[in-house]
Amino acid sequence: MPTASGHTKAIRAKKVIGTTVKDPSGKKIGEIEDVVLDKTSNNIMFAAVSFGGLLGMNEKYHPIPWNMLKYEEDESGYVVNITKEQLQAAPADSIAELTRDDGLAYRDRAFDYYRSPRYWE
Amino acid sequence: MPTASGHTKAIRAKKVIGTTVKDPSGKKIGEIEDVVLDKTSNNIMFAAVSFGGLLGMNEKYHPIPWNMLKYEEDESGYVVNITKEQLQAAPADSIAELTRDDGLAYRDRAFDYYRSPRYWE
């Protein structure tokens, strides 16, 4: 999906990391901890997002398909259209677990859970 | 291309950034400054690499196709098979210039220069 301004197609990982994640109402619900990349292809596997502000303090990160993060320039961050209830039931784990075994298990679970179109099929 | 150990398919951007880049002889020639991602697709556009150690102090970064960075676990870094002369003549610029106008200009120039197969065609 094209970004609002059309000027942010090329985005630096350093700028993505630490960026605020908001819900559609504009409320801050999380932050991007990291972006998981596939070394053997040219693909972004998923973003690892913390939703501690919404779900309470915990050490888990949610794997979120890249295309679910909508960049909003005036919001200075990304908007995701996911409810608190959906996040509470969503796949989440430590970063080490998210990336274990090539990251495929959590990638597949996340894409299935959010019904995101699989970029690899 | 699969990695040596097969265990590093899923790699965190935070771990890629700052990683050493070496030539095939094992000599350190540079460092990964950042990874440029495409927000409108699931693709990694290119890595932004500094080769200051090899080319001398300067403010420029080289856009390097992601598939040219071969991860070597025992080398604790990435190996690129590019000579100093090739790097001296290669496309390079400030990070702002590399990512301007959706990053396409430098991406295309880099893939052409290194004769890397275009992931987008």
Side-chain angles (χ1 to χ4, degrees):
Chain A
M1 223 171 213
T3 57
S5 71
H7 290 295
T8 54
K9 179 183 167 88
I11 186 78
R12 301 177 56 180
K14 274 185 175 179
K15 290 199 171 175
V16 176
I17 291 163
T19 299
T20 291
V21 176
K22 304 189 180 196
D23 69 14
S25 79
K27 172 187 164 192
K28 175 176 177 178
I29 57 173
E31 192 172 292
I32 297 182
E33 168 68 17
D34 210 341
V35 183
V36 180
L37 310 173
D38 181 345
K39 188 64 200 81
T40 65
S41 74
N42 235 83
N43 293 308
I44 296 163
M45 295 189 74
F46 52 81
V49 184
S50 63
F51 289 102
L54 185 67
L55 305 180
M57 293 292 297
N58 65 76
E59 301 298 320
K60 292 190 175 180
Y61 297 94
H62 282 66
I64 302 290
W66 184 239
N67 69 349
M68 291 187 67
L69 298 165
K70 311 295 185 208
Y71 186 70
E72 300 288 334
E73 273 200 273
D74 50 354
E75 295 274 0
S76 301
Y78 294 96
V79 174
V80 290
N81 200 357
I82 317 173
T83 67
K84 179 178 179 178
E85 291 66 31
Q86 285 174 316
L87 285 170
Q88 283 169 328
D93 215 322
S94 66
I95 294 279
E97 285 300 312
L98 293 187
T99 53
R100 197 162 60 83
D101 289 340
D102 293 342
L104 300 179
Y106 269 108
R107 177 195 68 176
D108 293 3
R109 283 182 61 189
F111 274 76
D112 285 350
Y113 182 80
Y114 297 110
R115 295 198 180 88
S116 262
R118 296 182 159 203
Y119 66 81
W120 64 97
E121 287 177 4
Chain B
M1 225 175 210
T3 57
S5 70
H7 290 295
T8 54
K9 179 183 167 86
I11 186 79
R12 301 176 57 180
K14 274 185 175 177
K15 290 199 170 174
V16 176
I17 291 163
T19 300
T20 292
V21 176
K22 304 188 181 198
D23 69 13
S25 78
K27 172 186 163 193
K28 175 176 178 176
I29 58 173
E31 192 172 292
I32 297 181
E33 169 68 18
D34 210 339
V35 184
V36 180
L37 311 174
D38 181 347
K39 188 63 199 78
T40 64
S41 75
N42 236 82
N43 292 310
I44 296 163
M45 296 188 74
F46 51 81
V49 184
S50 64
F51 289 103
L54 184 67
L55 304 180
M57 293 291 297
N58 65 77
E59 300 298 320
K60 292 189 174 180
Y61 298 93
H62 283 65
I64 302 290
W66 184 239
N67 69 349
M68 291 187 68
L69 298 165
K70 312 295 186 208
Y71 186 69
E72 300 288 333
E73 272 199 274
D74 51 354
E75 295 274 0
S76 302
Y78 295 96
V79 174
V80 290
N81 199 357
I82 316 173
T83 67
K84 180 178 178 179
E85 289 68 30
Q86 286 174 315
L87 285 170
Q88 283 168 329
D93 215 325
S94 67
I95 294 281
E97 285 299 312
L98 292 187
T99 53
R100 197 163 63 83
D101 289 339
D102 294 342
L104 300 178
Y106 269 107
R107 178 196 67 176
D108 293 2
R109 284 181 60 190
F111 274 77
D112 285 350
Y113 182 80
Y114 298 110
R115 295 198 180 88
S116 262
R118 294 181 160 203
Y119 65 82
W120 63 98
E121 286 177 4

